Short mmCIF file of all heavy atoms in Angstrom, two decimals:
data_model
loop_
_atom_site.label_atom_id
_atom_site.label_comp_id
_atom_site.label_asym_id
_atom_site.label_seq_id
_atom_site.Cartn_x
_atom_site.Cartn_y
_atom_site.Cartn_z
N ILE A 928 3.90 0.95 4.65
CA ILE A 928 3.92 2.31 4.30
C ILE A 928 2.47 2.81 3.96
O ILE A 928 2.24 3.93 4.36
CB ILE A 928 4.85 2.35 3.01
CG1 ILE A 928 6.32 2.20 3.35
CG2 ILE A 928 4.75 3.82 2.26
CD1 ILE A 928 7.15 1.88 2.12
N GLY A 929 1.71 1.93 3.20
CA GLY A 929 0.40 2.38 2.90
C GLY A 929 -0.59 2.55 4.04
O GLY A 929 -1.40 3.55 3.95
N LEU A 930 -0.54 1.78 4.94
CA LEU A 930 -1.42 1.76 6.08
C LEU A 930 -1.03 2.62 7.31
O LEU A 930 -1.74 3.25 7.96
CB LEU A 930 -1.80 0.38 6.62
CG LEU A 930 -2.49 -0.64 5.52
CD1 LEU A 930 -2.54 -1.96 6.04
CD2 LEU A 930 -3.71 0.05 5.25
N PHE A 931 0.33 2.65 7.53
CA PHE A 931 0.83 3.26 8.77
C PHE A 931 1.89 4.42 8.45
O PHE A 931 2.33 5.06 9.33
CB PHE A 931 1.61 2.29 9.69
CG PHE A 931 0.77 1.16 9.94
CD1 PHE A 931 1.14 -0.25 9.71
CD2 PHE A 931 -0.46 1.11 10.51
CE1 PHE A 931 0.51 -1.42 10.03
CE2 PHE A 931 -1.17 0.03 10.86
CZ PHE A 931 -0.71 -1.23 10.62
N ARG A 932 2.07 4.66 7.15
CA ARG A 932 3.00 5.78 6.75
C ARG A 932 4.40 5.62 7.18
O ARG A 932 5.06 6.63 7.47
CB ARG A 932 2.41 7.18 7.07
CG ARG A 932 1.00 7.35 6.65
CD ARG A 932 0.81 7.57 5.10
NE ARG A 932 -0.47 7.81 4.77
CZ ARG A 932 -1.13 7.10 3.97
NH1 ARG A 932 -0.66 5.92 3.45
NH2 ARG A 932 -2.37 7.40 3.62
N GLN A 933 4.78 4.34 7.36
CA GLN A 933 6.19 4.12 7.80
C GLN A 933 6.62 2.74 7.24
O GLN A 933 5.74 1.87 6.85
CB GLN A 933 6.34 4.10 9.22
CG GLN A 933 5.78 2.97 10.02
CD GLN A 933 6.18 3.01 11.41
OE1 GLN A 933 6.29 3.97 12.06
NE2 GLN A 933 6.38 1.68 11.93
N GLY A 934 7.93 2.62 7.02
CA GLY A 934 8.50 1.40 6.61
C GLY A 934 8.31 0.23 7.55
O GLY A 934 7.78 0.57 8.70
N ALA A 935 8.60 -0.94 7.15
CA ALA A 935 8.43 -2.09 8.01
C ALA A 935 9.57 -2.44 9.01
O ALA A 935 9.56 -3.32 9.80
CB ALA A 935 8.13 -3.36 7.10
N LYS A 936 10.45 -1.60 9.00
CA LYS A 936 11.61 -1.77 9.87
C LYS A 936 11.25 -1.54 11.38
O LYS A 936 10.73 -0.43 11.67
CB LYS A 936 12.80 -1.01 9.56
CG LYS A 936 13.32 -1.18 8.19
CD LYS A 936 14.83 -1.28 8.20
CE LYS A 936 15.21 -1.41 6.72
NZ LYS A 936 16.23 -2.36 6.54
N ALA A 937 11.39 -2.60 12.20
CA ALA A 937 11.06 -2.33 13.61
C ALA A 937 9.70 -1.76 13.93
O ALA A 937 9.65 -0.73 14.67
CB ALA A 937 12.33 -1.70 14.21
N PRO A 938 8.59 -2.23 13.43
CA PRO A 938 7.41 -1.66 13.69
C PRO A 938 6.93 -2.05 15.14
O PRO A 938 7.47 -2.98 15.79
CB PRO A 938 6.40 -2.25 12.83
CG PRO A 938 7.06 -3.57 12.45
CD PRO A 938 8.57 -3.36 12.46
N LEU A 939 6.08 -1.25 15.78
CA LEU A 939 5.58 -1.52 17.12
C LEU A 939 4.75 -2.84 17.10
O LEU A 939 4.32 -3.24 15.95
CB LEU A 939 4.63 -0.40 17.61
CG LEU A 939 5.22 1.00 17.59
CD1 LEU A 939 4.08 1.96 17.88
CD2 LEU A 939 6.26 1.12 18.66
N ALA A 940 4.66 -3.38 18.25
CA ALA A 940 4.03 -4.76 18.38
C ALA A 940 2.56 -4.65 17.93
O ALA A 940 2.12 -5.69 17.03
CB ALA A 940 3.99 -5.21 19.86
N TRP A 941 1.80 -3.70 18.10
CA TRP A 941 0.38 -3.70 17.60
C TRP A 941 0.40 -3.59 15.93
O TRP A 941 -0.48 -4.10 15.42
CB TRP A 941 -0.47 -2.45 18.26
CG TRP A 941 0.00 -1.18 17.88
CD1 TRP A 941 0.88 -0.39 18.37
CD2 TRP A 941 -0.58 -0.47 16.72
NE1 TRP A 941 0.89 0.85 17.75
CE2 TRP A 941 0.00 0.87 16.78
CE3 TRP A 941 -1.52 -0.82 15.65
CZ2 TRP A 941 -0.30 1.84 15.76
CZ3 TRP A 941 -1.72 0.23 14.77
CH2 TRP A 941 -1.14 1.40 14.80
N ARG A 942 1.41 -2.87 15.47
CA ARG A 942 1.46 -2.79 14.04
C ARG A 942 1.79 -4.12 13.44
O ARG A 942 1.30 -4.49 12.34
CB ARG A 942 2.44 -1.69 13.58
CG ARG A 942 1.95 -0.33 13.71
CD ARG A 942 2.77 0.75 13.15
NE ARG A 942 2.34 2.00 13.48
CZ ARG A 942 2.90 3.05 13.92
NH1 ARG A 942 4.26 2.82 14.18
NH2 ARG A 942 2.53 4.19 14.15
N THR A 943 2.92 -4.79 14.02
CA THR A 943 3.17 -6.07 13.57
C THR A 943 2.02 -7.05 13.57
O THR A 943 1.79 -7.80 12.68
CB THR A 943 4.37 -6.63 14.44
OG1 THR A 943 5.54 -5.63 14.40
CG2 THR A 943 4.88 -8.02 13.93
N ALA A 944 1.32 -7.12 14.79
CA ALA A 944 0.21 -7.93 14.91
C ALA A 944 -0.91 -7.67 13.76
O ALA A 944 -1.51 -8.50 13.14
CB ALA A 944 -0.51 -7.83 16.20
N MET A 945 -1.02 -6.32 13.39
CA MET A 945 -1.96 -5.96 12.57
C MET A 945 -1.57 -6.49 11.10
O MET A 945 -2.44 -7.01 10.23
CB MET A 945 -2.16 -4.48 12.30
CG MET A 945 -3.26 -3.98 11.38
SD MET A 945 -4.85 -4.12 12.13
CE MET A 945 -4.91 -2.81 13.23
N LEU A 946 -0.22 -6.39 10.78
CA LEU A 946 0.31 -6.94 9.49
C LEU A 946 0.28 -8.46 9.45
O LEU A 946 0.20 -8.95 8.24
CB LEU A 946 1.74 -6.38 9.40
CG LEU A 946 1.95 -4.93 9.05
CD1 LEU A 946 3.42 -4.64 9.27
CD2 LEU A 946 1.39 -4.48 7.81
N VAL A 947 0.12 -9.13 10.56
CA VAL A 947 0.05 -10.63 10.56
C VAL A 947 -1.53 -11.00 10.25
O VAL A 947 -1.63 -11.87 9.53
CB VAL A 947 0.35 -11.15 11.96
CG1 VAL A 947 0.01 -12.70 12.06
CG2 VAL A 947 1.88 -11.09 12.06
N ALA A 948 -2.32 -10.07 10.85
CA ALA A 948 -3.90 -10.51 10.73
C ALA A 948 -4.46 -10.09 9.47
O ALA A 948 -5.36 -10.83 9.01
CB ALA A 948 -4.55 -9.65 11.99
N ILE A 949 -3.95 -9.07 8.80
CA ILE A 949 -4.71 -8.58 7.54
C ILE A 949 -4.79 -9.43 6.43
O ILE A 949 -5.83 -9.76 5.80
CB ILE A 949 -4.17 -7.17 7.08
CG1 ILE A 949 -4.49 -6.08 8.16
CG2 ILE A 949 -4.69 -6.81 5.67
CD1 ILE A 949 -3.87 -4.71 7.90
N PRO A 950 -3.61 -10.23 6.08
CA PRO A 950 -3.70 -11.03 4.92
C PRO A 950 -4.74 -12.24 4.92
O PRO A 950 -5.05 -12.79 4.02
CB PRO A 950 -2.25 -11.70 4.84
CG PRO A 950 -1.42 -10.68 5.43
CD PRO A 950 -2.33 -10.06 6.61
N GLN A 951 -5.05 -12.56 6.23
CA GLN A 951 -6.08 -13.62 6.37
C GLN A 951 -7.42 -13.27 5.60
O GLN A 951 -8.18 -14.19 5.20
CB GLN A 951 -6.22 -14.09 7.64
CG GLN A 951 -4.94 -14.65 8.31
CD GLN A 951 -5.05 -14.73 9.86
OE1 GLN A 951 -5.99 -14.32 10.44
NE2 GLN A 951 -3.99 -15.29 10.42
N SER A 952 -7.68 -12.08 5.69
CA SER A 952 -8.92 -11.55 4.96
C SER A 952 -8.66 -10.04 4.62
O SER A 952 -9.24 -9.18 5.32
CB SER A 952 -10.10 -11.70 5.93
OG SER A 952 -11.28 -11.33 5.32
N PRO A 953 -7.90 -9.77 3.63
CA PRO A 953 -7.41 -8.43 3.45
C PRO A 953 -8.49 -7.26 3.22
O PRO A 953 -8.30 -6.16 3.75
CB PRO A 953 -6.54 -8.47 2.22
CG PRO A 953 -6.57 -9.97 1.76
CD PRO A 953 -7.38 -10.74 2.65
N GLU A 954 -9.51 -7.64 2.54
CA GLU A 954 -10.57 -6.49 2.23
C GLU A 954 -11.40 -6.28 3.43
O GLU A 954 -11.86 -5.23 3.75
CB GLU A 954 -11.36 -6.94 1.09
CG GLU A 954 -10.77 -6.78 -0.22
CD GLU A 954 -10.15 -5.34 -0.58
OE1 GLU A 954 -10.72 -4.45 -0.26
OE2 GLU A 954 -9.07 -5.39 -1.28
N VAL A 955 -11.65 -7.26 4.22
CA VAL A 955 -12.45 -7.15 5.51
C VAL A 955 -11.68 -6.50 6.66
O VAL A 955 -12.24 -5.73 7.44
CB VAL A 955 -12.97 -8.53 5.93
CG1 VAL A 955 -13.77 -8.45 7.24
CG2 VAL A 955 -13.91 -9.08 4.83
N ARG A 956 -10.42 -6.63 6.70
CA ARG A 956 -9.69 -6.30 7.82
C ARG A 956 -8.68 -5.06 7.72
O ARG A 956 -7.97 -4.75 8.41
CB ARG A 956 -8.66 -7.45 8.28
CG ARG A 956 -9.49 -8.61 8.81
CD ARG A 956 -8.58 -9.81 9.30
NE ARG A 956 -9.44 -10.74 9.90
CZ ARG A 956 -8.99 -12.02 10.21
NH1 ARG A 956 -7.72 -12.25 10.13
NH2 ARG A 956 -9.72 -12.89 10.79
N ARG A 957 -8.93 -4.41 6.53
CA ARG A 957 -8.14 -3.16 6.34
C ARG A 957 -8.44 -1.98 7.32
O ARG A 957 -9.51 -1.88 7.48
CB ARG A 957 -8.32 -2.67 4.93
CG ARG A 957 -7.53 -3.39 3.85
CD ARG A 957 -7.66 -2.82 2.56
NE ARG A 957 -7.07 -1.39 2.61
CZ ARG A 957 -6.92 -0.78 1.48
NH1 ARG A 957 -7.30 -1.16 0.27
NH2 ARG A 957 -6.57 0.47 1.56
N PRO A 958 -7.45 -1.69 8.20
CA PRO A 958 -7.79 -0.70 9.22
C PRO A 958 -8.30 0.63 8.59
O PRO A 958 -9.05 1.38 9.35
CB PRO A 958 -6.48 -0.49 9.77
CG PRO A 958 -5.40 -1.02 9.05
CD PRO A 958 -6.04 -2.14 8.12
N ASP A 959 -7.94 1.06 7.29
CA ASP A 959 -8.35 2.32 6.89
C ASP A 959 -9.86 2.20 6.34
O ASP A 959 -10.48 3.13 6.10
CB ASP A 959 -7.56 2.69 5.61
CG ASP A 959 -7.35 1.74 4.57
OD1 ASP A 959 -7.67 0.63 4.79
OD2 ASP A 959 -7.01 2.14 3.32
N ARG A 960 -10.49 0.97 6.17
CA ARG A 960 -11.93 0.76 5.81
C ARG A 960 -12.59 0.19 6.89
O ARG A 960 -13.96 0.40 6.81
CB ARG A 960 -11.95 -0.16 4.53
CG ARG A 960 -11.15 0.63 3.35
CD ARG A 960 -11.31 -0.26 2.15
NE ARG A 960 -10.78 0.40 0.96
CZ ARG A 960 -10.33 -0.24 -0.13
NH1 ARG A 960 -10.56 -1.50 -0.23
NH2 ARG A 960 -9.67 0.41 -1.11
N SER A 961 -12.12 -0.75 7.68
CA SER A 961 -12.98 -1.33 8.72
C SER A 961 -12.07 -1.45 10.10
O SER A 961 -11.49 -2.64 10.39
CB SER A 961 -13.44 -2.72 8.29
OG SER A 961 -14.11 -3.34 9.21
N ALA A 962 -12.00 -0.40 10.60
CA ALA A 962 -11.07 -0.32 11.90
C ALA A 962 -11.54 -1.38 13.01
O ALA A 962 -10.58 -2.07 13.58
CB ALA A 962 -11.12 1.07 12.49
N ASP A 963 -12.87 -1.56 13.11
CA ASP A 963 -13.19 -2.49 14.33
C ASP A 963 -12.79 -3.86 13.91
O ASP A 963 -12.23 -4.58 14.79
CB ASP A 963 -14.75 -2.50 14.42
CG ASP A 963 -15.18 -1.25 15.05
OD1 ASP A 963 -14.39 -0.52 15.79
OD2 ASP A 963 -16.38 -0.88 14.96
N ALA A 964 -13.04 -4.33 12.66
CA ALA A 964 -12.55 -5.66 12.30
C ALA A 964 -11.13 -5.95 12.33
O ALA A 964 -10.58 -6.90 12.80
CB ALA A 964 -13.16 -6.01 10.88
N ALA A 965 -10.42 -4.89 11.98
CA ALA A 965 -8.93 -4.96 11.93
C ALA A 965 -8.42 -4.92 13.35
O ALA A 965 -7.45 -5.77 13.67
CB ALA A 965 -8.34 -3.65 11.24
N HIS A 966 -8.98 -4.15 14.22
CA HIS A 966 -8.43 -4.17 15.62
C HIS A 966 -8.85 -5.36 16.26
O HIS A 966 -8.08 -5.94 17.20
CB HIS A 966 -9.07 -2.95 16.38
CG HIS A 966 -8.66 -1.68 15.90
ND1 HIS A 966 -9.34 -0.48 16.05
CD2 HIS A 966 -7.40 -1.45 15.24
CE1 HIS A 966 -8.61 0.47 15.57
NE2 HIS A 966 -7.51 -0.10 15.03
#
């Protein structure tokens, strides 16, 4: 909701992959703050 403005029900594959990747380094990989690292 906070990052993509939608609930977690059936997100697109790229959003799911992003949600998997962010917790490994949350402050560095937040797409709203560091899009390149998140991508």
Side-chain angles (χ1 to χ4, degrees):
I928 292 168
L930 298 172
F931 307 125
R932 307 289 184 245
Q933 71 171 37
K936 298 222 184 229
L939 300 173
W941 71 267
R942 287 188 183 131
T943 301
M945 186 78 74
L946 292 170
V947 168
I949 293 173
Q951 296 168 2
S952 188
E954 289 301 325
V955 173
R956 294 180 176 175
R957 280 187 59 176
D959 58 337
R960 294 189 180 157
S961 182
D963 288 342
H966 293 156

